[in-house]
Amino acid sequence: MTSLVEGQPIPDFTAQSDQGELSSQALRGTPFVLYFYPRDNTPGCTTQAQGFRDLKTEFDALGVQVIGVSRDSLASHERFRDKQSLNFPLISDPDEALCSLFDVMKLKNMYGKQVRGIERSTFLIDQNGVLRQAWRKVRVPGHVDAVLEAARQL
C-alpha cells in the first residue's frame, strides 16, 4: 500500500488494458485520469463510464487521457466497452496490484455483510506523473463534471 499525496509523483506501474499494456512511464508527457470502479456492467459503474465516454472529446481537447480500472477480466472489459461504446482503455487488475498502489481496496458493507472491494476513486495525474487531485468515496452524479473542471486547471 502506498501513501498517495497530492503534489507528489504517483508510484510507477505497468498494467494490462483492453487496448494493450499501459504504464506510468509510457504515459509521461500526457496528463491522465485514472478512475477505479467496482465492477463492469453494474448501474453506478455504467453511469460513471458513460459520463467519461460522453465528455471524452472535452478531455481530449485538454490533452487529458481517461483510463478506467477494475478487477474484472479483459474479456469482461471488452464486453463492457462494446456494450457501452466506451472510447477509452479499461485496465484489468485481477491481482489488485494497481488497486493496492492507489489504496482503493476497502472493507464495505453489502447487504449487511463486510466485503472487500474497490472504493470508487478517481485520480488526476499531470504530465509529469504528479498527483494533482484525488477523489475518494466517489458519488457518481456530477463527478465526471468535477473531474473535467479540475483537468481544466492543469
Side-chain angles (χ1 to χ4, degrees), residues 68-94:
V69 183
S70 80
R71 297 181 297 174
D72 294 299
S73 69
L74 288 174
S76 175
H77 280 344
E78 289 167 7
R79 288 189 300 273
F80 185 45
R81 178 198 64 216
D82 293 347
K83 183 177 181 181
Q84 300 302 326
S85 301
L86 301 180
N87 47 9
F88 53 86
L90 299 173
I91 289 175
S92 175
D93 192 29

Side-chain angles (χ1 to χ4, degrees), residues 13-27:
F13 69 85
T14 300
Q16 291 300 316
S17 84
D18 62 337
Q19 297 181 17
E21 187 175 274
L22 290 173
S23 73
S24 53
Q25 292 302 315
L27 290 165

